[in-house]
Amino acid sequence: WLLAICLQVSTKSEMLEDPTCVNRSDVNAELKKICSGAKLFGRQAEQEKLVECWGRVCRENKQELVVLSGIAGSGKSSLAESLRPLVKEKPKCFFLSGRYVENRQHRVVGDPYEIFETAFSRYVGELMDTKNDLLIDKISGELSDALRGDSSILHMIPALQPLLLYQSNPKSNLRRSSLSSGSVNNDTQHSTEFYSSEGSNQLKYAFENAVSAICRVTPLVLLLDNLHWATSVSMDLLQTLLQSDQSMALLVVTTIRSEYLSCSSAEPSPTAYRMTVLNENMIGPGKRSHDTTPTNHSSSALRSTLKVLQETASLQTTIIDLSNLELSDFRILIADALKKRTDEVVEFSRIAHAETEGNVFRFFQLLRLLVDQGIIIFKNRTWSWDDADLDLVKNSTLDLVIRTLKTLPRPVQEALKAASCLGVEVDCSAIDRVLQTPSTPLLQKAEDEGFLIFYPQTGGYVFAHDLIRQAACSLIPEEDLCEFYLNLGRRLRSSSSSTTLEANIMMIASLFNAGSSLVTEERQRYKVAELNLKAAKKALSVTSLPDAAIFLRKGIELLPARCWEDRYELSLQLFSNAAEVHCWMGDFDSVHGYINEVVDHGRCLFDKLPSYAVLIKSMDAQEDQQEALQVCTSVLGELGERLPSKATKLTVLKEFFLVRHALQGKTDYDIKSLKRMTNKSKIYCMNFMNHGFYVSFMAKNPMASVFAFRAIRLTLSWGLHESASVAFSVFAMTLSGLHINEMEGYRFGKLAIELADSANSPRHMILANQIVGFGVLHWTQSSQTSLTTLNNIADIAMRTGFIWSALSAYVLAHSTAILTGSNLLSVKSELAKTVRLTRIHNFPKIHNMGLLLQQVVSCHEGNEADPSRPTGSIINFQETVTEFLGLHDSTIVVMYYFMGAYLACFYRNYVESKSFAILLEKMQRGPAPAFMMSQFPFVFSLSAVNLCRSGIDEAKNRSLAKKHFKTVGKYAKKCPCNFLSLRLLLEGELLALERHGNSEDQVSKLYRQARNCAEEQNNHAIVGMALEKHGDYLASLGKTAEAVSLWTEAAKEGFDKMGAVAKSQQIRNRALRHEGGTVP
C-alpha cells in the first residue's frame, strides 16, 4: 500500500537541483545501497533455524530441505540470502541460487532446467575463480567417476563440460553461452535412443549423480526462489535429488508464497497483471490473462510434492513461515535504512507500517517513489521529509512498482518491457536485436536504479524481484500485448542465424504463439506452425514432454482446414508427434484423436505405421493388451507377415520347430556376420513384432514366443535388426526353461547378449540380458553369475533411464541372493533402496514384490519376544500378502507361495511348507520366477521326506520325496554348480530315512559332501542346513554330543554368516535342550 503523492508538492522535486544537494547518481546509489544492503530485523529466530540446518548438513553429510513461506515481499529471499556470507566463510563451500519466474518463456536449450543451468554455471565460474587446481581436479575426477561416460547431463548444464574435461591450469572460457551465440554443445547425445520417460529418467539419474559427486567435495546451499512457479519437470528433478539415497552435503532452500500452500485460492486481485498470456495463447482459452492467483492444479501439485518430501524418512524438512514485520521491528528497519534514531521515525514508521502492513519490499518501493517525487529528499548526506506532506491512498504493491518504473527514462522502460518477456536472465544481445539499438547502457541504468542485478560470472542481468519483472510486463498496454509479443518474435527470428535460431527456437515460437491471434494470413500460419514443430523437437531433445505437447498442440491449432492437401508432411509430423508425446504423458483421449487424423488422411501405410505403434503403446498402458495384440497382428498382416491374434500350444510348437530347423547348421559366427536389415517393410515388421512381444511378454501371453520365433526367421532371411537380441534370448530361455537342451540354450543366450552389445540399443540390450539372466544362466552357470548379470544390467538400466527394467532386475537379483544364502544384511540395505525407488516411481507390481522380499528378510531377523521364531512366523507373512493375492498377478502369487514354502521348510514347519508347495504346483508357471521354480523340487522333496520321518502319510510323502529328488538329480547333472549340493543333501535325507541296509558312514558322507559343495558355492543357507540335518541324523542315533557340536557349527558357519538370526537362535536352543540346559 502506497503513500500518495500530492501533485501540489511537485515543487519539492526542485530541491534536488539545489547546488548543496548531491547529484542524482549519488541519490540513486544511496537508494540502491539501502534497498540491496538492508539488514534483517525481526528474523533472528528464523536465521538461527537456517544456520542450524546448514550446520547439520555439514556435520551429517545428508541433504535437507528448508521451505521459507510468506506473502510476496515478506523477506523470504533476503532471509535465504543471509546464509550466503556464512557459507562462503567455510572453505570449499558454495552458495548457489536461481529463480523461477511466472509462466517463464522458452529460451536456450535446457529451458525446463534453466534454473539449475544458471545456478551451476555460476558454481563453475566461482570454482574456477578459486584457482585451486587440486580442488578442481578432485571435483572433475568425482564427476567423471559418477557419470561413467553419460554425457546427458550436458543437455541440462552445458557449463559442466569444462569440469568434465578439466586439466590443471585450464585456459578455457567458462562463461555461459549468450542467447545470440547459440553455442550449446549439440553433439552430445543421450545414450537412450528415444525420448520419453526413459530419457527423462536418464537425465534425472545423471543429475543426481553429478550433484552427489560435487557435494562429496564441496558442500552446497542451493536456493530455489519462487518454487511455486517451478515446472513439473523441474519439480520432478528436485524430488529425485532430495529423495536420493546417495549421501550429499546439500541444503536446498526454497521460497514459496504462502497462498500457494493454502488449501483454497483467494479471489484474484483486479490489479494483478497478466503474465500468463503466453501460456494462454499456447494452450488455449480458459484462463483469465490478468489472473496470477495460483490455480487449484498448480497449488495442489505443489502441496502434494511437499507432502511426499515431508514423508520421506531419510529427508529432514524444515518449514519456516514468515509474516510481515511488527511495528517495532519495522521502525528499527526504517531508522537503520535512513540513518536516523528510532524516535525520529516514529510517525513515518507508523504511517508506512499501516499502509504497507510491515511488508519490507513494499516499503522500499514506496521509499524509492517518495524520493523520485521529492517528498523525501537526500541533502548534505542526510535524509529528510515533512510528515505533513504524507498522505495516504490505497494501491497494490504491483501498482506501486509500476509507478516507480514509470519514472525511468522511456528507452529504459522499453528495454525492461522486452526483457520481461525473454526469460529469467536478461541477455543484452537479444535486447539489442529487439530494440535495434545497444541496450547495455539502458540495462546498466536499470541496475543503478535497483531494478536489475548483474552477475559477473555469467555476464547477464536478472530482475531484482519477480514483482519488478511483472510490473515491467505490465507497462505494455493490454490491447497491444499480442502485437508486442509478435513483433518480438519476428525481430528475433529475422535477426538470428540458423544456429542461433535453432538454439532459441522454443522462446521464439512462444512469442509467436502469444501473438498468434494476429497471424491471419494462411502462409504465415504455416510458418508459425513449422516453428512450433521445431520447438517441440527441441523440447523433446531436453526431455521436456509438457513443453513439447504445448508446441505441437499450438502448431495443430494454427493449421488451416486444407492442411492435409496443402502441407501434407507438416501436418503428418505435427499429428504423429503429438500422438506420441501425449501417449507418454498419459493423455490417451488426445492420443486417439490425433491417431484418427493420421489414419484418415495418411497417404500410405508407411506414413501411418508410427501412429499405429503409438496406438499399441497406449492400449497396453491402459491394460488393454488383447486389443493391442490385435492391432499389432493386423498391421503385420498388411506388411506381409501373417500371425494369429491368439497363440495355442500347437502354434507355439510349430513356430519353435520352424526356428530350430532354420538354425540347423548355422554357427554363431554365421549369425553375427549377417548383414544389417535394409528392407523398409521388414524393418517395420521387426519393430511391430518387438511391440507385440513386449506387450505379450509383460502380460505372460504365449504370443510372446510366437513373435520372438518369427523375428528370428525374419532375421535369418533379411538380416540383423537391433531387436534380434531379444528374440534370441527368448529362444534361449525356451531351450533352457523347458529343459530341451540347456547347453544349447546357454549358447544362444550368449549369442543374444553379443548381438545386444553390437546393436547399441539400451532398451533391447537390457531386456535381452534380463531374460538371459533370470531364464537361462542358472541352468548352466553358477548362481553368482546370474546374480552378477542381473545387478550389472540393473545398473545400466538405471543409468540409461529404464527404471522399470532396472527395478525388476534388482528384485530378481534380491530374490536370487536370498535363495542362494547370501548375507541378508547386504540384501536388506539394497532391498530397502529398491522398495523406496518403486514407491517413488509408482511401480506397484514391483513394489509389492519388494515388500514380499522384505517380509522374508524380516522373518529371518527373528521376533523380539522370541528370537528363535521368525517374525510372526509364516502366518504373519500371509497377512502382509493377502492384498497381493487379490491382484490376480501370477508372478506375485507364485513368488508368495514359493517364499512361503521355502521359509516354512527352512524353519522346520513342514506341514505349512507342503501346503504352500501344493498351491504352487497348481499355479501356471510364468517365466519371471524361473529361478524360484528351479528350487521348488528341492523344497518340496525336503518337506515331504521330513513329514514321512514324522509318520505323516508316509507312503504318499515318500513317493513325493523321491519324485522331486529325481528332478533335482536331473538339474544337478546339467548344472552341478547350482544343484549338486541340493541333490547331495536330499540323497542324505532319503538314505537317513531308509536306514535299513545303509551304513552310518554313507549318510554322514553325503551330508559332508553337501556341506563342502555349498561352501564352494558360498551358499550359507545350504551349509547350515547340511550341518543341521547331519546333526538331526546323529541325534536320532543317540549321538547327542556330536549332534550338538554339528548344530552349533551350523549356527556359526551357516546361519550366522547368512544373517538368519531367528534360525541361528532356533538351532542353538535345540543344542541347549539336548545338553540339558535351560532355553530362555
Side-chain angles (χ1 to χ4, degrees), residues 192 198 201-202 205 762-763 765-767 770 790-810:
T192 304
E198 283 79 12
N201 289 334
Q202 180 186 358
Y205 188 73
R763 170 185 280 274
M765 179 190 67
I766 290 163
L767 187 53
Q770 205 168 345
L790 288 169
N791 278 317
N792 286 343
I793 204 63
D795 290 342
I796 294 170
M798 282 296 291
R799 290 202 305 274
T800 50
F802 292 85
I803 306 298
W804 188 94
S805 297
L807 295 176
S808 59
Y810 278 134

Side-chain angles (χ1 to χ4, degrees), residues 759-776:
N760 194 29
S761 169
R763 170 185 280 274
H764 300 114
M765 179 190 67
I766 290 163
L767 187 53
N769 275 271
Q770 205 168 345
I771 292 170
V772 171
F774 73 70
V776 177

Side-chain angles (χ1 to χ4, degrees), residues 393-627:
V393 295
K394 299 289 183 182
N395 280 281
S396 70
T397 305
L398 185 61
D399 285 340
L400 179 59
V401 182
I402 292 172
R403 292 182 64 176
T404 309
L405 286 176
K406 286 181 177 178
T407 64
L408 296 172
R410 177 65 63 180
V412 179
Q413 292 184 44
E414 293 300 318
L416 290 178
K417 284 194 291 185
S420 70
C421 302
L422 299 181
V424 178
E425 190 163 317
V426 181
D427 192 290
C428 297
S429 60
I431 306 299
D432 290 347
R433 297 204 305 278
V434 168
L435 299 181
Q436 299 178 341
T437 185
S439 62
T440 301
L442 305 177
L443 298 177
Q444 286 177 344
K445 172 69 174 174
E447 185 205 5
D448 292 339
E449 296 284 349
F451 297 111
L452 297 177
I453 299 173
F454 180 72
Y455 283 95
Q457 294 91 348
T458 60
Y461 294 89
V462 297
F463 282 94
H465 197 279
D466 56 279
L467 281 175
I468 296 175
R469 179 178 179 272
Q470 189 176 343
C473 184
S474 299
L475 294 175
I476 308 167
E478 189 166 6
E479 62 274 13
D480 298 337
L481 269 175
C482 290
E483 185 178 2
F484 187 86
Y485 288 129
L486 190 59
N487 287 335
L488 284 182
R490 283 171 173 166
R491 290 178 184 176
L492 285 174
R493 183 180 64 176
S494 63
S495 62
S496 298
S497 65
S498 58
T499 304
T500 307
L501 180 63
E502 181 186 357
N504 307 306
I505 188 66
M506 293 168 71
M507 180 196 70
I508 293 171
S510 295
L511 293 169
F512 271 98
N513 290 341
S516 61
S517 61
L518 301 179
V519 182
T520 55
E521 188 183 349
E522 195 170 276
R523 184 171 60 89
Q524 292 299 324
R525 291 179 74 83
Y526 280 127
K527 284 187 176 182
V528 180
E530 284 179 346
L531 282 177
N532 275 281
L533 178 60
K534 292 178 181 178
K537 291 180 177 179
K538 175 63 74 174
L540 292 176
S541 73
V542 292
T543 68
S544 179
L545 295 177
D547 288 334
I550 288 172
F551 287 125
L552 290 167
R553 192 156 59 240
K554 188 61 181 179
I556 289 171
E557 287 176 8
L558 287 163
L559 292 175
R562 287 179 47 83
C563 60
W564 286 100
E565 292 81 6
D566 297 341
R567 296 294 301 275
Y568 176 79
E569 284 299 325
L570 173 63
S571 303
L572 180 65
Q573 286 198 54
L574 281 170
F575 279 101
S576 298
N577 280 281
E580 187 159 11
V581 170
H582 283 82
C583 177
W584 286 118
M585 294 175 64
D587 182 5
F588 300 116
D589 290 337
S590 299
V591 169
H592 291 285
Y594 294 132
I595 289 175
N596 288 337
E597 278 285 323
V598 176
V599 171
D600 291 344
H601 297 94
R603 292 175 179 172
C604 65
L605 176 63
F606 289 126
D607 287 348
K608 302 175 185 179
L609 290 178
S611 293
Y612 281 131
V614 173
L615 181 61
I616 292 169
K617 293 175 187 175
S618 69
M619 288 176 170
D620 182 38
Q622 297 174 83
E623 304 292 335
D624 195 357
Q625 283 83 13
Q626 194 56 47
E627 283 292 324

Side-chain angles (χ1 to χ4, degrees), residues 260-306:
Y260 283 82
L261 295 179
S262 62
C263 293
S264 60
S265 299
E267 286 297 315
S269 167
T271 54
Y273 227 27
R274 70 285 175 201
M275 292 296 292
T276 62
V277 65
L278 279 153
N279 274 0
E280 178 184 330
N281 278 281
M282 287 189 290
I283 297 173
K287 182 174 172 64
R288 292 169 57 186
S289 61
H290 65 269
D291 184 1
T292 59
T293 306
T295 64
N296 288 333
H297 172 73
S298 63
S299 57
S300 62
L302 178 65
R303 291 195 305 271
S304 175
T305 301
L306 288 177

Side-chain angles (χ1 to χ4, degrees), residues 810-827:
Y810 278 134
V811 165
L812 290 167
H814 299 328
S815 61
T816 302
I818 290 170
L819 295 176
T820 54
S822 298
N823 184 275
L824 292 175
L825 286 177
S826 60
V827 173

Side-chain angles (χ1 to χ4, degrees), residues 224-271:
L224 302 177
D225 218 348
N226 297 332
L227 188 68
H228 44 274
W229 285 332
T231 63
S232 59
V233 176
S234 187
M235 286 294 287
D236 286 345
L237 197 66
L238 178 61
Q239 188 171 338
T240 299
L241 194 63
L242 290 172
Q243 291 184 317
S244 170
D245 52 18
Q246 300 188 50
S247 296
M248 58 181 88
L250 172 68
L251 177 64
V252 176
V253 182
T254 66
T255 66
I256 302 176
R257 289 190 185 177
S258 53
E259 58 263 33
Y260 283 82
L261 295 179
S262 62
C263 293
S264 60
S265 299
E267 286 297 315
S269 167
T271 54

Side-chain angles (χ1 to χ4, degrees), residues 3 28 50 80 83 229 282 313 348 378 380 655 658 788-789 809 1003:
L3 189 62
N28 287 338
L50 206 54
L83 194 58
W229 285 332
M282 287 189 290
F348 183 28
F378 186 64
N380 295 329
E655 290 290 338
L658 286 172
T788 302
T789 301
V1003 177

Side-chain angles (χ1 to χ4, degrees), residues 890-901:
S890 62
T891 304
I892 296 176
V893 177
V894 166
M895 180 182 270
Y896 164 62
Y897 285 151
F898 177 80
M899 285 298 181

